[in-house]
Amino acid sequence: MITLENIRFGYTSRKPLFEDLSLTLEGGHIYGLLGKNGAGKTTLLKNMAGLRFVKSGLCTSFGLDAKRRLPSMLERIYFLPEEIWLPDMKINTYVRTYAPAWPRFDHGYFKNCLKAFEIDPTARIKTMSFGQRKKTGIAFALATKADILMLDEPTNGLDIPSKTMFRKLVAEALDEDCCIILSTHQVRDLETLIDSVIVLNEANIVFNQTIDATCEKLRFSLSTSLEMPENVLYAEMTPRGYAVVNQNLTGEESKVDLETLFNLCIQQPETIHQLFNA
Amino acid sequence: MFSFKRFNTQFCILLGQNANRHSIALLVMVMYFVIIHFKFSPSLILTDRNPFDDFFMILTIGSIGFSLDVFKQLRSPIAGIYYQMTPATVFEKWLAALLYTTLFTLVVIFTTFLLVHTLIITGANLFSTVDYAYQFPNWALAWENLKMVLFFQSLFFLGAVIFKKSPFLKTILVVVGSVILFSIIMGLVIKHQFDVDSLSVSFGSDKGIQGFEVLEQFETLIKVLNVFSWILPFGCWGAAWYRLKTIQH
């Protein structure tokens, strides 16, 4: 669905944000795009959406050059920024005005999403809180029935029940033809939702694996011992003990701890590369 | 490929987005238009002057204001993302904005003014012994005036796409700066021309023919400026389209 081939991008010519970056995203997956502050998560999404033009390399969505921003591409992509913009009107008017731009927009589904998020469809947007506007934005994004959904920090500003509802709605929205990309710092919020992890660090992708493939190669555990465990790939102290990552040599399944995995990828990119590309 | 459906959606989006703000602007224009119908002498009576004399001036202000507004969303770093990601070609978005700020603005303002004028005159004729005549804009000068409206509209239409902050002030600064620069250059050219002229006179050339040549050059300049005033709106609209195509968020 999305192909990035050896792309190069930077806001200044001196310091490129991405150097020779390649990535392919397929339908039927919920990708978690992780990276430190300023690593370029939002920019990468913008490159994919054609909002920022790559300096060199190829960036296509559905085989179409992203920077051309053709309607045939835009009808199938929805990019939801971290900060929501909604015009000063009632939700009903907003949907009536904007929804016709997306040919597959599902009004019934939008209403259901609003109901699930406990948002009054007759409410005036200006009077809504940040969280309510965010939920309206998410509901609209899901109702466009876009094949590619790019959600930048979608859980920021949502309360706990809304985060649960968000996970439920996104999980329901996924099908074989749909690709959902979640760029986030709040890994705990989306841990159960993500099925593929992409880690962005120092101008390139340092990790791009499905959760299943990660489980096959790595074993995540919690050591209650007060001493630093030995022979581990990575260990970090938590209030409950050491969060440990070992190489999975026994084939034993464990629950992937995204935060620990992310830290391992950032601190030992070589180890990760050797382990997954051997 | 141009799609009328997508264009229509874009136009409706502009209409919906700006409905409140532009209705208020229209109301202010109408209030001004109503006021200029009357004079105090010392009681309130209808004025003799044609209220439509100011129509094109009001239309210019309206089209400038609306031009700055139609790209307000684009200029915001967040709202701009939504604008860019709305499924439509750049041409469809550009055409919707252009028609909104030109033809649509003209039709709406003119129709509203005409209705208000008709109401005022009809009302005055009902309650007065004087038979007031219905008036219209000066059609003989309409085309020239319309050209002036489009000239200014196109400048601010481009300014609204180029300048992210304070597009109105920045466009004015650019226009004033360009006029000053052009005036200085023209002043220097004219001065040089007169210098050459007086120099040739001192050599005993035919003064009458020399003077005639200078006059001819002025006429050519006026023609060039006239052509320029025709080309400029198209140039500005084209540049705005290109900017829309290449703008990044």
Side-chain angles (χ1 to χ4, degrees):
Chain A
M1 279 185 159
I2 295 179
T3 309
L4 305 177
E5 272 178 36
N6 312 104
I7 67 156
R8 191 175 177 278
F9 179 83
Y11 288 100
T12 58
S13 52
R14 280 185 200 167
K15 198 182 171 214
L17 196 56
F18 309 131
E19 190 84 77
D20 204 26
L21 186 149
S22 295
L23 179 69
T24 305
L25 303 179
E26 301 294 344
H29 289 283
I30 299 178
Y31 293 93
L33 180 60
L34 314 179
K36 290 193 282 190
N37 289 332
K41 300 184 295 294
T42 304
T43 307
L44 189 66
L45 293 182
K46 286 182 174 181
N47 284 148
M48 291 174 190
L51 288 163
R52 284 271 168 195
F53 304 160
V54 294
K55 307 286 179 203
S56 65
L58 192 71
C59 180
T60 60
S61 297
F62 309 106
L64 300 164
D65 189 1
K67 76 174 181 184
R68 291 181 68 197
R69 300 191 281 230
L70 292 172
S72 47
M73 181 190 96
L74 298 175
E75 282 168 4
R76 298 173 70 187
I77 291 183
Y78 197 91
F79 179 89
L80 186 77
E82 183 181 0
E83 280 179 57
I84 301 290
W85 173 85
L86 292 168
D88 178 20
M89 49 177 74
K90 284 183 177 179
I91 295 177
N92 283 340
T93 318
Y94 169 65
V95 172
R96 213 173 35 245
T97 311
Y98 286 78
W102 285 267
R104 288 188 285 175
F105 192 91
D106 188 335
H107 289 267
Y109 187 67
F110 178 71
K111 274 183 190 163
N112 289 342
C113 289
L114 285 184
K115 199 175 169 188
F117 279 133
E118 296 174 352
I119 301 280
D120 174 12
T122 59
R124 194 167 185 90
I125 292 165
K126 205 180 175 181
T127 61
M128 289 161 65
S129 71
F130 177 78
Q132 287 173 317
R133 277 188 281 130
K134 187 113 190 183
K135 287 186 272 188
T136 308
I138 291 167
F140 191 93
L142 293 170
T144 59
K145 299 284 170 189
D147 290 327
I148 298 173
L149 270 176
M150 297 178 187
L151 311 178
D152 194 6
E153 301 288 357
T155 54
N156 268 10
L158 298 190
D159 55 22
I160 296 165
S162 303
K163 281 177 186 174
T164 311
M165 188 49 71
F166 170 78
R167 284 193 290 267
K168 183 176 174 282
L169 291 172
V170 170
E172 280 172 7
L174 185 72
D175 61 37
E176 278 306 301
D177 301 321
C178 182
C179 165
I180 300 171
I181 310 155
L182 308 167
S183 158
T184 189
H185 288 291
Q186 319 283 338
V187 283
R188 298 266 182 246
D189 291 345
L190 305 169
E191 220 161 28
T192 52
L193 199 59
I194 293 164
D195 68 25
S196 294
V197 183
I198 299 165
V199 179
L200 196 57
N201 191 43
E202 291 180 353
N204 222 315
I205 304 279
V206 290
F207 187 81
N208 179 15
Q209 297 292 332
T210 61
I211 293 289
D212 290 345
T214 309
C215 283
E216 270 178 34
K217 299 273 172 133
L218 299 172
R219 188 171 164 273
F220 296 81
S221 58
L222 190 72
S223 164
T224 48
S225 162
L226 290 174
E227 285 179 26
M228 173 78 168
E230 289 177 0
N231 300 323
V232 294
L233 291 172
Y234 178 82
E236 69 178 35
M237 206 178 183
T238 71
R240 292 178 296 152
Y242 278 94
V244 178
V245 186
N246 292 90
Q247 196 172 340
N248 189 0
L249 300 169
T250 56
E252 194 183 335
E253 265 195 35
S254 60
K255 186 176 175 288
V256 175
D257 179 344
L258 280 181
E259 210 169 288
T260 318
L261 173 67
F262 175 74
N263 288 332
L264 170 67
C265 293
I266 298 294
Q267 290 180 22
Q268 298 177 48
E270 279 304 312
T271 311
I272 283 289
H273 183 78
Q274 281 169 10
L275 203 64
F276 283 89
N277 298 290
Chain B
M1 195 74 172
F2 182 81
S3 155
F4 186 77
K5 190 175 175 284
R6 283 197 303 258
F7 161 76
N8 184 47
T9 305
Q10 282 302 310
F11 195 87
C12 290
I13 287 174
L14 287 179
L15 211 59
Q17 251 177 31
N18 298 295
N20 288 348
R21 205 172 141 84
H22 291 179
S23 300
I24 293 167
L26 188 65
L27 198 68
V28 172
M29 289 183 222
V30 168
M31 279 163 71
Y32 173 77
F33 187 67
V34 170
I35 290 167
I36 59 169
H37 272 78
F38 301 96
K39 67 175 178 184
F40 289 94
S41 66
S43 58
L44 194 67
I45 58 160
L46 275 180
T47 172
D48 299 331
R49 74 183 276 261
N50 183 353
F52 281 99
D53 283 351
D54 291 345
F55 172 71
F56 287 100
M57 192 263 290
I58 299 170
L59 184 63
T60 307
I61 294 167
S63 63
I64 287 173
F66 292 0
S67 293
L68 293 167
D69 272 358
V70 285
F71 292 119
K72 211 164 82 177
Q73 191 191 343
L74 179 79
R75 290 196 296 272
S76 152
I78 302 298
I81 292 174
Y82 287 82
Y83 181 87
Q84 299 279 28
M85 293 305 292
T86 308
T89 61
V90 172
F91 181 73
E92 285 153 3
K93 290 176 185 175
W94 171 85
L95 190 66
L98 186 62
L99 285 183
Y100 184 91
T101 54
T102 53
L103 191 65
F104 178 73
T105 305
L106 170 75
V107 170
V108 168
I109 295 179
F110 182 66
T111 313
T112 314
F113 280 22
L114 204 63
L115 283 171
V116 169
H117 179 69
T118 310
L119 272 172
I120 291 170
I121 299 298
T122 311
N125 286 340
L126 275 174
F127 298 105
S128 165
T129 49
V130 184
D131 190 24
Y132 292 104
Y134 293 93
Q135 303 200 63
F136 296 96
N138 184 350
W139 296 122
L141 294 171
W143 186 237
E144 280 303 311
N145 284 327
L146 208 57
K147 218 171 81 178
M148 185 232 359
V149 175
L150 294 181
F151 183 86
F152 285 106
Q153 181 275 342
S154 67
L155 287 172
F156 286 89
F157 189 80
L158 177 60
V161 182
I162 289 180
F163 303 118
K164 281 194 173 176
K165 283 180 184 167
S166 316
F168 178 70
L169 282 177
K170 284 178 181 169
T171 309
I172 284 184
L173 278 176
V174 170
V175 172
V176 170
S178 306
V179 169
I180 291 171
L181 191 72
F182 182 76
S183 305
I184 291 170
I185 294 169
M186 285 321 295
L188 289 171
V189 169
I190 291 164
K191 187 178 177 293
H192 173 75
Q193 202 61 51
F194 276 110
D195 288 348
V196 169
D197 187 28
S198 57
L199 192 71
S200 52
V201 170
S202 67
F203 279 103
S205 301
D206 188 335
K207 197 180 169 185
I209 291 169
Q210 285 285 340
F212 183 66
E213 276 174 0
V214 172
L215 193 69
E216 257 190 348
Q217 281 168 0
F218 275 119
E219 277 177 0
T220 313
L221 178 70
I222 302 281
K223 275 180 191 164
V224 168
L225 284 177
N226 192 33
V227 172
F228 178 73
S229 72
W230 268 106
I231 293 172
L232 188 90
F234 292 97
C236 287
W237 293 330
W241 170 82
Y242 182 74
R243 175 72 180 150
L244 277 180
K245 199 175 167 61
T246 53
I247 199 165
Q248 298 180 49
H249 278 89

